[in-house]
Structures are given as C-alpha cells and as structure tokens.
Amino acid sequence: MRQPVKSESIREIVEHVVQTTPVLDMHTHLYSRRFGGLLLWGIDELLTYHYLIAEVLRVAPMAPDRFWAMGQPAQADYVWKHLFLERSPISEACRGALTVLHALGLDVGPRDLGAIRRHFAGLDVDAYLDTVFELSGVHSVVMTNDPFDPTERAIWLAGEETDPRFQAALRIDPLLNDWAQMPPRLREMGCAVSGDLGAADLAAVRRLLDEWIERIEPRYLAVSLPPTFAFPDPGPRGRLLKQCVLPAAREANIPFAMMIGVTRGVNPGHRLAADGVGKADITVLHRLCAAYPDNRFLVTLLSRENQHELCVTARKFPNLLIFGCWWFLNNPSLIDEMTRQRLELLGLSVMPQHSDARVLDQLIYKWRHSRAVLARVLADKYVDLAATGWQPTDAEIRRDVGDLLGGVFERFCGRSIA
Ligand code: HDL
Ligand code: ZN
C-alpha cells in the first residue's frame, strides 16, 4: 500500500521543481547582443521602465514634457526619489526593481542609488547577460522583432542570430494597425504597393511576409490589437489577415499570436506609458478559430474581464493556446486568480506566463515573482489531487511543470521538445 504523501512534502516538491525548472520565455522585448543598444539593461533602464514612469507621473509634481526633457539618469533619480524614498516602493514594478538588486547581492537597505550605479558601471554586458539568464532560470527568450523598424531591419540584413538563447518572433503591428501609413514604408523595404490593397498589393505583402519568415525564422507571427478588434472586417486589417497573414502562418507552420485589448495612447503625453486597456469581443476568437482550423492561434487578452470567457473559448478550440498574464495583469493577485481559473478549466494545456521583459534585468524579478505564485497554485491543485488518493509522483510533477514553463508552447508550435 503506497504511503500517502503528506501535503507539506507535496508543497516542498512543487516549490523546488517550479523554482528549478528552466523556462522558455515566450514573449519578451529583449534583444541579443548583436542588436547593440536595442538590448536595454542596468539600473537606469530598470528605473525608467515605462511602468514606473506612469507611476511617478501620478505622484510627482512634474509635467510629462519636463520629465521627458530630462536625461535618463535624471529621470531615474526622479523615480528613485518619488517612488522609492518619499513613499515605500510597494507597487509590483517598484518591488521588481528591488528584487533584481537583491538577487544580484546588492544591499538596498542604505537606499544608495549612487552605490548601485557604481556596481552596474563595473559590469561587462556579456558576462552580465549570462548572470541574468542564470539567476532568472530562463533558458531562452522569444524576442519581439519588428522588420518595419529601420534600425532593427538593418541589423537583420547584416547577419544572422548567433545566440541560441534568443529566438525570433515576427511582429506586424504597423501592417495590421496602420495600413494608411504603410505604402512608403513598404516601398523602402522593396515591397511595391499602391495602397489600394488590390490583388497586386496583397500578393506583394504576402511575399514580404514570406521573405521575413524565411530570414528570421520566427517562432510565431504576432500582433497587438485594440479591444475593438473585429473579424471578419472589410477594412485593411481584415483583408490583410485573410489574404496574407493567416495563409503565410499556415504555410510556414507557425502560430499567429494575437495580443488583444490594448488601447494605444490614451494619454499621449505619457508616450510608451500612454496605453490603456479595454475588454475585447471574445466572439472574434470563436469566428477566427472556427474559420481557420488549420491555423494555430496564441492568444493573450489584456482585460481581466475577458479571462474567464477566454478559458472557456480555449476549451472549444484545440487550435487556440492561451498564454501569459499580460502587462496590467502581471501582478501577483491577478496571476493567482488567472492561473487557478486556467488550471481548473484547461488543466495543463495552457502557458501560464511570459515575462514581457523590456529590460534584461527584469527577467530576474518577473520570473521570481511569477514562479512564487505558480508554485503556490500548483501545490494547491496537487494537494487536492492527493486527497482523492491520486498521489502525484516527483516525475509527474517535473513533467507537468516542464510543460507549463515551455513544453506546451514547444508542442503547440509543432516542435518536438528535447
Ligand atoms: O504590445 C506589447 O507587446 C506590450 O507588451 C507592450 O510592449 C507594452 O508596452 C509592454 O511592455 N507591456 O508589458
Ligand atoms: Zn509585449
């Protein structure tokens, strides 16, 4: 007769496995070293993360334009003063910066930003890159690659990716969200379009997508979309999706990732921190997943109010994989709520989290904070399981956690996992 495993030991096993299983981080804004200055890292980038800029502009007396007119070190000083010294840094984004510093072995007790800056000034970025991947337990990240950005485009055209820790994703927001501005930008890329989106334009855009899929070998195509996203849609977005994007993804055998619910620029003066959130129409996913059964869709929705219906929709469509606690949802209270809901409705056929890291160092805090919540939720579920007499073995827990931290994504993308 197998001895029942005590719930405490289940919790210990789950905690250890979640903390030590390497992660594939399926959506970030990080760049490998070949992208030079596009890779952001260090204390001043951490402190001027747009999440913190939104928070400091709420509490400090400076007008946004004056804030933006300051240099980055002065902006970081301002954030440190108003969000860390003059009030306790208890928000998730503030705590995150401190988690990074603590993990690096720095004593934040003295609250000495000068000493922290001197530590970072002495770092070699290549060695620091290795340190961050090691401390965060991430084995590889998927970048957000924008071929419509001339700076990034030039780097892709100059050579190949050599760091296997960085995988590509082909991000096509300008194409789908700003067609009116695209013809001159496309012509600069050798994609001769008139703008009328007739057959010739659509064929040219399709060729461009195929060209960039071949060049960067993306894990998926991706776009962020407003809450008002509709499909079918007689406008440019609907026609480009139907005639170019979905066929290109299908023939390249890669998923299409839709990140829906962002209202861009609700307060333009906040610039990168200007975006808001809105509830999307879940029936769009019903129609897309049903109409394109040979396409695979990765979806994350930005509104908390969309989450339950998104789980139910995923139960209906095996070609839909939901992922992450995106942006304004990437907070312990909401990660807990969403992860419980997902495991209860979808079992292990979900990707609970991505980091969305924009600054390299953030991998450390975003994954430490998320692993803590995931371990707690998963342990509860295994304890519930054990109460039925079904004792989860160590090997089963390792298998499951490996799936949740990358394996499910790998299989969904059609790649066997090693
Ligand atoms: O569109 C996106 O991929 C978002 O993640 C935005 O980049 C956003 O600014 C962000 O960084 N959220 O975490
Ligand atoms: Zn993102």
Side-chain angles (χ1 to χ4, degrees), residues 27-29 49-51 144 171 173 223-225 259 262 264 272-273 275 302 326-328 330 354-358 366:
H27 171 59
T28 75
H29 297 272
Y49 183 35
H50 67 77
Y51 289 30
T144 296
R171 186 71 177 256
D173 286 37
V223 67
S224 69
L225 294 162
M259 307 170 72
V262 51
R264 296 291 179 187
L272 199 56
D275 303 326
L302 190 51
W326 183 27
W327 203 341
F328 306 114
N330 196 3
H354 65 275
S355 73
D356 231 319
R358 188 170 284 273
K366 287 180 183 266

PDB file of all heavy atoms in Angstrom, residues 27-29 49-51 144 171 173 223-225 259 262 264 272-273 275 302 326-328 330 354-358 366, ligand 1:
ATOM      1  N   HIS A  27       7.388  35.465 -24.663  1.00  0.00           N
ATOM      2  CA  HIS A  27       7.192  36.822 -25.196  1.00  0.00           C
ATOM      3  C   HIS A  27       7.989  37.824 -24.363  1.00  0.00           C
ATOM      4  O   HIS A  27       7.709  38.030 -23.188  1.00  0.00           O
ATOM      5  CB  HIS A  27       5.718  37.222 -25.200  1.00  0.00           C
ATOM      6  CG  HIS A  27       5.531  38.674 -25.541  1.00  0.00           C
ATOM      7  ND1 HIS A  27       5.966  39.236 -26.722  1.00  0.00           N
ATOM      8  CD2 HIS A  27       4.994  39.693 -24.839  1.00  0.00           C
ATOM      9  CE1 HIS A  27       5.685  40.531 -26.732  1.00  0.00           C
ATOM     10  NE2 HIS A  27       5.114  40.838 -25.586  1.00  0.00           N
ATOM     11  N   THR A  28       8.982  38.435 -25.000  1.00  0.00           N
ATOM     12  CA  THR A  28       9.765  39.492 -24.343  1.00  0.00           C
ATOM     13  C   THR A  28      10.057  40.584 -25.370  1.00  0.00           C
ATOM     14  O   THR A  28       9.800  40.411 -26.565  1.00  0.00           O
ATOM     15  CB  THR A  28      11.131  38.977 -23.828  1.00  0.00           C
ATOM     16  OG1 THR A  28      12.022  38.803 -24.961  1.00  0.00           O
ATOM     17  CG2 THR A  28      10.998  37.667 -23.064  1.00  0.00           C
ATOM     18  N   HIS A  29      10.602  41.684 -24.870  1.00  0.00           N
ATOM     19  CA  HIS A  29      11.073  42.770 -25.747  1.00  0.00           C
ATOM     20  C   HIS A  29      12.587  42.882 -25.623  1.00  0.00           C
ATOM     21  O   HIS A  29      13.146  43.968 -25.760  1.00  0.00           O
ATOM     22  CB  HIS A  29      10.363  44.076 -25.377  1.00  0.00           C
ATOM     23  CG  HIS A  29       8.886  44.005 -25.594  1.00  0.00           C
ATOM     24  ND1 HIS A  29       8.288  44.304 -26.791  1.00  0.00           N
ATOM     25  CD2 HIS A  29       7.901  43.590 -24.783  1.00  0.00           C
ATOM     26  CE1 HIS A  29       6.981  44.104 -26.698  1.00  0.00           C
ATOM     27  NE2 HIS A  29       6.725  43.665 -25.490  1.00  0.00           N
ATOM     28  N   TYR A  49      11.701  52.261 -16.615  1.00  0.00           N
ATOM     29  CA  TYR A  49      10.738  51.338 -17.245  1.00  0.00           C
ATOM     30  C   TYR A  49       9.399  52.052 -17.308  1.00  0.00           C
ATOM     31  O   TYR A  49       8.999  52.714 -16.346  1.00  0.00           O
ATOM     32  CB  TYR A  49      10.641  50.091 -16.381  1.00  0.00           C
ATOM     33  CG  TYR A  49       9.765  48.964 -16.864  1.00  0.00           C
ATOM     34  CD1 TYR A  49       9.620  48.641 -18.221  1.00  0.00           C
ATOM     35  CD2 TYR A  49       9.099  48.163 -15.950  1.00  0.00           C
ATOM     36  CE1 TYR A  49       8.847  47.568 -18.637  1.00  0.00           C
ATOM     37  CE2 TYR A  49       8.318  47.079 -16.355  1.00  0.00           C
ATOM     38  CZ  TYR A  49       8.196  46.792 -17.696  1.00  0.00           C
ATOM     39  OH  TYR A  49       7.432  45.714 -18.104  1.00  0.00           O
ATOM     40  N   HIS A  50       8.692  51.932 -18.398  1.00  0.00           N
ATOM     41  CA  HIS A  50       7.514  52.785 -18.555  1.00  0.00           C
ATOM     42  C   HIS A  50       6.443  52.517 -17.499  1.00  0.00           C
ATOM     43  O   HIS A  50       5.618  53.394 -17.193  1.00  0.00           O
ATOM     44  CB  HIS A  50       6.956  52.720 -19.979  1.00  0.00           C
ATOM     45  CG  HIS A  50       6.350  51.423 -20.419  1.00  0.00           C
ATOM     46  ND1 HIS A  50       5.100  51.026 -20.010  1.00  0.00           N
ATOM     47  CD2 HIS A  50       6.794  50.471 -21.262  1.00  0.00           C
ATOM     48  CE1 HIS A  50       4.816  49.859 -20.582  1.00  0.00           C
ATOM     49  NE2 HIS A  50       5.819  49.498 -21.335  1.00  0.00           N
ATOM     50  N   TYR A  51       6.460  51.324 -16.920  1.00  0.00           N
ATOM     51  CA  TYR A  51       5.523  51.072 -15.803  1.00  0.00           C
ATOM     52  C   TYR A  51       5.794  52.058 -14.663  1.00  0.00           C
ATOM     53  O   TYR A  51       4.872  52.596 -14.053  1.00  0.00           O
ATOM     54  CB  TYR A  51       5.707  49.659 -15.268  1.00  0.00           C
ATOM     55  CG  TYR A  51       5.258  48.494 -16.118  1.00  0.00           C
ATOM     56  CD1 TYR A  51       5.254  48.549 -17.517  1.00  0.00           C
ATOM     57  CD2 TYR A  51       4.851  47.309 -15.529  1.00  0.00           C
ATOM     58  CE1 TYR A  51       4.854  47.454 -18.277  1.00  0.00           C
ATOM     59  CE2 TYR A  51       4.455  46.209 -16.282  1.00  0.00           C
ATOM     60  CZ  TYR A  51       4.453  46.295 -17.642  1.00  0.00           C
ATOM     61  OH  TYR A  51       4.065  45.202 -18.399  1.00  0.00           O
ATOM     62  N   THR A 144      10.749  40.244 -29.657  1.00  0.00           N
ATOM     63  CA  THR A 144       9.686  40.879 -30.441  1.00  0.00           C
ATOM     64  C   THR A 144      10.390  41.629 -31.568  1.00  0.00           C
ATOM     65  O   THR A 144      10.979  42.687 -31.341  1.00  0.00           O
ATOM     66  CB  THR A 144       8.869  41.854 -29.564  1.00  0.00           C
ATOM     67  OG1 THR A 144       8.205  41.098 -28.544  1.00  0.00           O
ATOM     68  CG2 THR A 144       7.807  42.585 -30.395  1.00  0.00           C
ATOM     69  N   ARG A 171       6.819  40.519 -35.545  1.00  0.00           N
ATOM     70  CA  ARG A 171       5.759  41.385 -35.046  1.00  0.00           C
ATOM     71  C   ARG A 171       5.289  42.297 -36.178  1.00  0.00           C
ATOM     72  O   ARG A 171       6.104  42.949 -36.835  1.00  0.00           O
ATOM     73  CB  ARG A 171       6.308  42.212 -33.878  1.00  0.00           C
ATOM     74  CG  ARG A 171       5.299  43.075 -33.151  1.00  0.00           C
ATOM     75  CD  ARG A 171       4.310  42.263 -32.322  1.00  0.00           C
ATOM     76  NE  ARG A 171       3.409  43.166 -31.594  1.00  0.00           N
ATOM     77  CZ  ARG A 171       3.524  43.418 -30.273  1.00  0.00           C
ATOM     78  NH1 ARG A 171       4.467  42.834 -29.568  1.00  0.00           N
ATOM     79  NH2 ARG A 171       2.690  44.251 -29.675  1.00  0.00           N
ATOM     80  N   ASP A 173       2.571  44.743 -36.131  1.00  0.00           N
ATOM     81  CA  ASP A 173       1.583  45.759 -35.749  1.00  0.00           C
ATOM     82  C   ASP A 173       1.388  46.846 -36.808  1.00  0.00           C
ATOM     83  O   ASP A 173       0.237  47.153 -37.163  1.00  0.00           O
ATOM     84  CB  ASP A 173       1.982  46.409 -34.411  1.00  0.00           C
ATOM     85  CG  ASP A 173       1.755  45.494 -33.223  1.00  0.00           C
ATOM     86  OD1 ASP A 173       1.980  44.280 -33.377  1.00  0.00           O
ATOM     87  OD2 ASP A 173       1.363  45.975 -32.157  1.00  0.00           O
ATOM     88  N   VAL A 223       0.863  40.126 -33.278  1.00  0.00           N
ATOM     89  CA  VAL A 223       0.330  41.483 -33.377  1.00  0.00           C
ATOM     90  C   VAL A 223      -0.385  41.814 -32.071  1.00  0.00           C
ATOM     91  O   VAL A 223      -0.935  40.911 -31.408  1.00  0.00           O
ATOM     92  CB  VAL A 223      -0.672  41.596 -34.553  1.00  0.00           C
ATOM     93  CG1 VAL A 223      -1.940  40.784 -34.292  1.00  0.00           C
ATOM     94  CG2 VAL A 223      -1.016  43.059 -34.841  1.00  0.00           C
ATOM     95  N   SER A 224      -0.338  43.094 -31.677  1.00  0.00           N
ATOM     96  CA  SER A 224      -1.218  43.536 -30.589  1.00  0.00           C
ATOM     97  C   SER A 224      -2.396  44.251 -31.245  1.00  0.00           C
ATOM     98  O   SER A 224      -2.231  44.907 -32.284  1.00  0.00           O
ATOM     99  CB  SER A 224      -0.479  44.466 -29.626  1.00  0.00           C
ATOM    100  OG  SER A 224      -0.183  45.707 -30.241  1.00  0.00           O
ATOM    101  N   LEU A 225      -3.566  44.108 -30.642  1.00  0.00           N
ATOM    102  CA  LEU A 225      -4.788  44.611 -31.264  1.00  0.00           C
ATOM    103  C   LEU A 225      -5.645  45.343 -30.249  1.00  0.00           C
ATOM    104  O   LEU A 225      -5.616  45.021 -29.053  1.00  0.00           O
ATOM    105  CB  LEU A 225      -5.575  43.438 -31.859  1.00  0.00           C
ATOM    106  CG  LEU A 225      -4.911  42.712 -33.040  1.00  0.00           C
ATOM    107  CD1 LEU A 225      -5.542  41.334 -33.249  1.00  0.00           C
ATOM    108  CD2 LEU A 225      -4.984  43.545 -34.305  1.00  0.00           C
ATOM    109  N   MET A 259      -2.451  39.577 -29.351  1.00  0.00           N
ATOM    110  CA  MET A 259      -2.451  40.160 -28.005  1.00  0.00           C
ATOM    111  C   MET A 259      -3.470  41.280 -28.049  1.00  0.00           C
ATOM    112  O   MET A 259      -3.233  42.357 -28.576  1.00  0.00           O
ATOM    113  CB  MET A 259      -1.045  40.653 -27.666  1.00  0.00           C
ATOM    114  CG  MET A 259      -0.005  39.557 -27.861  1.00  0.00           C
ATOM    115  SD  MET A 259       1.696  40.144 -27.754  1.00  0.00           S
ATOM    116  CE  MET A 259       1.780  40.438 -25.999  1.00  0.00           C
ATOM    117  N   VAL A 262      -5.416  46.236 -26.043  1.00  0.00           N
ATOM    118  CA  VAL A 262      -4.647  47.448 -25.709  1.00  0.00           C
ATOM    119  C   VAL A 262      -5.205  48.637 -26.482  1.00  0.00           C
ATOM    120  O   VAL A 262      -5.364  48.597 -27.698  1.00  0.00           O
ATOM    121  CB  VAL A 262      -3.137  47.267 -26.000  1.00  0.00           C
ATOM    122  CG1 VAL A 262      -2.856  46.754 -27.399  1.00  0.00           C
ATOM    123  CG2 VAL A 262      -2.386  48.567 -25.746  1.00  0.00           C
ATOM    124  N   ARG A 264      -4.104  52.033 -27.519  1.00  0.00           N
ATOM    125  CA  ARG A 264      -2.840  52.761 -27.606  1.00  0.00           C
ATOM    126  C   ARG A 264      -3.066  54.264 -27.357  1.00  0.00           C
ATOM    127  O   ARG A 264      -4.073  54.828 -27.774  1.00  0.00           O
ATOM    128  CB  ARG A 264      -2.187  52.576 -28.980  1.00  0.00           C
ATOM    129  CG  ARG A 264      -1.759  51.128 -29.297  1.00  0.00           C
ATOM    130  CD  ARG A 264      -0.597  50.655 -28.467  1.00  0.00           C
ATOM    131  NE  ARG A 264      -0.212  49.259 -28.766  1.00  0.00           N
ATOM    132  CZ  ARG A 264       0.690  48.586 -28.072  1.00  0.00           C
ATOM    133  NH1 ARG A 264       1.283  49.141 -27.045  1.00  0.00           N
ATOM    134  NH2 ARG A 264       0.988  47.330 -28.365  1.00  0.00           N
ATOM    135  N   LEU A 272       5.516  55.960 -24.110  1.00  0.00           N
ATOM    136  CA  LEU A 272       5.456  54.490 -24.037  1.00  0.00           C
ATOM    137  C   LEU A 272       4.562  54.030 -22.885  1.00  0.00           C
ATOM    138  O   LEU A 272       4.058  52.916 -22.867  1.00  0.00           O
ATOM    139  CB  LEU A 272       6.876  53.919 -23.859  1.00  0.00           C
ATOM    140  CG  LEU A 272       7.094  52.442 -24.203  1.00  0.00           C
ATOM    141  CD1 LEU A 272       6.667  52.120 -25.622  1.00  0.00           C
ATOM    142  CD2 LEU A 272       8.528  52.034 -23.967  1.00  0.00           C
ATOM    143  N   ALA A 273       4.325  54.956 -21.956  1.00  0.00           N
ATOM    144  CA  ALA A 273       3.468  54.616 -20.806  1.00  0.00           C
ATOM    145  C   ALA A 273       2.032  55.067 -21.038  1.00  0.00           C
ATOM    146  O   ALA A 273       1.226  55.131 -20.114  1.00  0.00           O
ATOM    147  CB  ALA A 273       4.005  55.285 -19.541  1.00  0.00           C
ATOM    148  N   ASP A 275      -0.479  53.755 -22.863  1.00  0.00           N
ATOM    149  CA  ASP A 275      -1.503  52.816 -23.312  1.00  0.00           C
ATOM    150  C   ASP A 275      -2.428  52.360 -22.196  1.00  0.00           C
ATOM    151  O   ASP A 275      -2.018  52.211 -21.050  1.00  0.00           O
ATOM    152  CB  ASP A 275      -0.827  51.585 -23.943  1.00  0.00           C
ATOM    153  CG  ASP A 275       0.093  51.984 -25.097  1.00  0.00           C
ATOM    154  OD1 ASP A 275      -0.244  52.957 -25.803  1.00  0.00           O
ATOM    155  OD2 ASP A 275       1.149  51.345 -25.267  1.00  0.00           O
ATOM    156  N   LEU A 302      -5.827  41.429 -22.611  1.00  0.00           N
ATOM    157  CA  LEU A 302      -5.281  42.369 -21.628  1.00  0.00           C
ATOM    158  C   LEU A 302      -6.264  42.676 -20.499  1.00  0.00           C
ATOM    159  O   LEU A 302      -5.891  43.062 -19.407  1.00  0.00           O
ATOM    160  CB  LEU A 302      -4.877  43.676 -22.331  1.00  0.00           C
ATOM    161  CG  LEU A 302      -4.075  44.692 -21.531  1.00  0.00           C
ATOM    162  CD1 LEU A 302      -2.858  44.074 -20.859  1.00  0.00           C
ATOM    163  CD2 LEU A 302      -3.646  45.848 -22.426  1.00  0.00           C
ATOM    164  N   TRP A 326      -0.692  39.204 -19.060  1.00  0.00           N
ATOM    165  CA  TRP A 326      -0.058  40.252 -19.859  1.00  0.00           C
ATOM    166  C   TRP A 326      -0.119  41.613 -19.171  1.00  0.00           C
ATOM    167  O   TRP A 326      -1.209  42.048 -18.756  1.00  0.00           O
ATOM    168  CB  TRP A 326      -0.714  40.303 -21.231  1.00  0.00           C
ATOM    169  CG  TRP A 326      -0.151  41.260 -22.226  1.00  0.00           C
ATOM    170  CD1 TRP A 326       1.128  41.735 -22.300  1.00  0.00           C
ATOM    171  CD2 TRP A 326      -0.872  41.863 -23.305  1.00  0.00           C
ATOM    172  NE1 TRP A 326       1.244  42.591 -23.377  1.00  0.00           N
ATOM    173  CE2 TRP A 326       0.037  42.684 -24.010  1.00  0.00           C
ATOM    174  CE3 TRP A 326      -2.201  41.782 -23.766  1.00  0.00           C
ATOM    175  CZ2 TRP A 326      -0.336  43.423 -25.136  1.00  0.00           C
ATOM    176  CZ3 TRP A 326      -2.575  42.513 -24.893  1.00  0.00           C
ATOM    177  CH2 TRP A 326      -1.646  43.322 -25.558  1.00  0.00           C
ATOM    178  N   TRP A 327       1.044  42.316 -18.983  1.00  0.00           N
ATOM    179  CA  TRP A 327       1.087  43.771 -18.741  1.00  0.00           C
ATOM    180  C   TRP A 327       0.362  44.159 -17.447  1.00  0.00           C
ATOM    181  O   TRP A 327       0.863  43.903 -16.390  1.00  0.00           O
ATOM    182  CB  TRP A 327       0.481  44.462 -19.953  1.00  0.00           C
ATOM    183  CG  TRP A 327       0.826  45.865 -20.230  1.00  0.00           C
ATOM    184  CD1 TRP A 327       1.358  46.803 -19.369  1.00  0.00           C
ATOM    185  CD2 TRP A 327       0.645  46.514 -21.491  1.00  0.00           C
ATOM    186  NE1 TRP A 327       1.497  47.990 -20.034  1.00  0.00           N
ATOM    187  CE2 TRP A 327       1.069  47.857 -21.336  1.00  0.00           C
ATOM    188  CE3 TRP A 327       0.160  46.096 -22.741  1.00  0.00           C
ATOM    189  CZ2 TRP A 327       1.018  48.776 -22.394  1.00  0.00           C
ATOM    190  CZ3 TRP A 327       0.120  46.990 -23.780  1.00  0.00           C
ATOM    191  CH2 TRP A 327       0.540  48.311 -23.601  1.00  0.00           C
ATOM    192  N   PHE A 328      -0.847  44.679 -17.549  1.00  0.00           N
ATOM    193  CA  PHE A 328      -1.559  45.152 -16.355  1.00  0.00           C
ATOM    194  C   PHE A 328      -2.108  43.968 -15.540  1.00  0.00           C
ATOM    195  O   PHE A 328      -2.678  44.147 -14.472  1.00  0.00           O
ATOM    196  CB  PHE A 328      -2.705  46.084 -16.769  1.00  0.00           C
ATOM    197  CG  PHE A 328      -2.290  47.237 -17.646  1.00  0.00           C
ATOM    198  CD1 PHE A 328      -2.723  47.336 -18.965  1.00  0.00           C
ATOM    199  CD2 PHE A 328      -1.428  48.213 -17.178  1.00  0.00           C
ATOM    200  CE1 PHE A 328      -2.321  48.385 -19.795  1.00  0.00           C
ATOM    201  CE2 PHE A 328      -1.010  49.266 -17.996  1.00  0.00           C
ATOM    202  CZ  PHE A 328      -1.464  49.341 -19.301  1.00  0.00           C
ATOM    203  N   ASN A 330      -0.010  41.379 -14.940  1.00  0.00           N
ATOM    204  CA  ASN A 330       1.184  40.693 -14.434  1.00  0.00           C
ATOM    205  C   ASN A 330       1.473  41.136 -12.996  1.00  0.00           C
ATOM    206  O   ASN A 330       2.531  41.703 -12.698  1.00  0.00           O
ATOM    207  CB  ASN A 330       2.379  40.964 -15.347  1.00  0.00           C
ATOM    208  CG  ASN A 330       3.505  39.972 -15.078  1.00  0.00           C
ATOM    209  OD1 ASN A 330       3.352  39.066 -14.253  1.00  0.00           O
ATOM    210  ND2 ASN A 330       4.611  40.119 -15.766  1.00  0.00           N
ATOM    211  N   HIS A 354       4.413  34.633 -19.443  1.00  0.00           N
ATOM    212  CA  HIS A 354       5.577  35.131 -20.156  1.00  0.00           C
ATOM    213  C   HIS A 354       6.019  36.359 -19.375  1.00  0.00           C
ATOM    214  O   HIS A 354       5.273  36.881 -18.539  1.00  0.00           O
ATOM    215  CB  HIS A 354       5.225  35.505 -21.602  1.00  0.00           C
ATOM    216  CG  HIS A 354       4.272  36.657 -21.695  1.00  0.00           C
ATOM    217  ND1 HIS A 354       2.882  36.497 -21.619  1.00  0.00           N
ATOM    218  CD2 HIS A 354       4.484  37.986 -21.788  1.00  0.00           C
ATOM    219  CE1 HIS A 354       2.306  37.673 -21.716  1.00  0.00           C
ATOM    220  NE2 HIS A 354       3.244  38.603 -21.798  1.00  0.00           N
ATOM    221  N   SER A 355       7.230  36.851 -19.626  1.00  0.00           N
ATOM    222  CA  SER A 355       7.682  37.972 -18.783  1.00  0.00           C
ATOM    223  C   SER A 355       7.356  39.334 -19.383  1.00  0.00           C
ATOM    224  O   SER A 355       7.153  40.304 -18.671  1.00  0.00           O
ATOM    225  CB  SER A 355       9.199  37.891 -18.575  1.00  0.00           C
ATOM    226  OG  SER A 355       9.862  38.253 -19.781  1.00  0.00           O
ATOM    227  N   ASP A 356       7.347  39.434 -20.701  1.00  0.00           N
ATOM    228  CA  ASP A 356       7.218  40.740 -21.359  1.00  0.00           C
ATOM    229  C   ASP A 356       8.392  41.655 -21.007  1.00  0.00           C
ATOM    230  O   ASP A 356       8.310  42.873 -21.180  1.00  0.00           O
ATOM    231  CB  ASP A 356       5.924  41.440 -20.976  1.00  0.00           C
ATOM    232  CG  ASP A 356       5.170  41.902 -22.218  1.00  0.00           C
ATOM    233  OD1 ASP A 356       5.829  42.389 -23.150  1.00  0.00           O
ATOM    234  OD2 ASP A 356       3.948  41.758 -22.259  1.00  0.00           O
ATOM    235  N   ALA A 357       9.475  41.060 -20.526  1.00  0.00           N
ATOM    236  CA  ALA A 357      10.619  41.878 -20.085  1.00  0.00           C
ATOM    237  C   ALA A 357      11.076  42.803 -21.214  1.00  0.00           C
ATOM    238  O   ALA A 357      11.217  42.375 -22.360  1.00  0.00           O
ATOM    239  CB  ALA A 357      11.770  40.973 -19.659  1.00  0.00           C
ATOM    240  N   ARG A 358      11.306  44.045 -20.844  1.00  0.00           N
ATOM    241  CA  ARG A 358      11.776  45.068 -21.806  1.00  0.00           C
ATOM    242  C   ARG A 358      13.226  45.423 -21.488  1.00  0.00           C
ATOM    243  O   ARG A 358      13.967  45.869 -22.357  1.00  0.00           O
ATOM    244  CB  ARG A 358      10.858  46.283 -21.688  1.00  0.00           C
ATOM    245  CG  ARG A 358      11.024  47.357 -22.693  1.00  0.00           C
ATOM    246  CD  ARG A 358       9.891  48.365 -22.585  1.00  0.00           C
ATOM    247  NE  ARG A 358       8.675  47.839 -23.164  1.00  0.00           N
ATOM    248  CZ  ARG A 358       8.379  47.963 -24.463  1.00  0.00           C
ATOM    249  NH1 ARG A 358       9.220  48.565 -25.274  1.00  0.00           N
ATOM    250  NH2 ARG A 358       7.263  47.481 -24.937  1.00  0.00           N
ATOM    251  N   LYS A 366      10.670  39.233 -12.885  1.00  0.00           N
ATOM    252  CA  LYS A 366       9.376  38.773 -13.426  1.00  0.00           C
ATOM    253  C   LYS A 366       9.214  37.266 -13.234  1.00  0.00           C
ATOM    254  O   LYS A 366       8.119  36.779 -12.953  1.00  0.00           O
ATOM    255  CB  LYS A 366       9.248  39.210 -14.882  1.00  0.00           C
ATOM    256  CG  LYS A 366       8.982  40.737 -15.004  1.00  0.00           C
ATOM    257  CD  LYS A 366       8.849  41.192 -16.422  1.00  0.00           C
ATOM    258  CE  LYS A 366       8.658  42.694 -16.528  1.00  0.00           C
ATOM    259  NZ  LYS A 366       7.256  43.118 -16.601  1.00  0.00           N
TER     260      LYS A 366
HETATM  261  O1  HDL B   1       2.469  45.241 -27.206  1.00  0.00           O
HETATM  262  C1  HDL B   1       3.147  44.597 -26.389  1.00  0.00           C
HETATM  263  O2  HDL B   1       3.859  43.590 -26.677  1.00  0.00           O
HETATM  264  C2  HDL B   1       3.114  45.095 -24.954  1.00  0.00           C
HETATM  265  O3  HDL B   1       3.742  44.133 -24.125  1.00  0.00           O
HETATM  266  C3  HDL B   1       3.804  46.432 -24.891  1.00  0.00           C
HETATM  267  O4  HDL B   1       5.134  46.286 -25.384  1.00  0.00           O
HETATM  268  C4  HDL B   1       3.826  47.066 -23.511  1.00  0.00           C
HETATM  269  O5  HDL B   1       4.432  48.336 -23.601  1.00  0.00           O
HETATM  270  C5  HDL B   1       4.588  46.250 -22.501  1.00  0.00           C
HETATM  271  O6  HDL B   1       5.793  46.269 -22.474  1.00  0.00           O
HETATM  272  N1  HDL B   1       3.844  45.569 -21.656  1.00  0.00           N
HETATM  273  O7  HDL B   1       4.435  44.802 -20.684  1.00  0.00           O
END
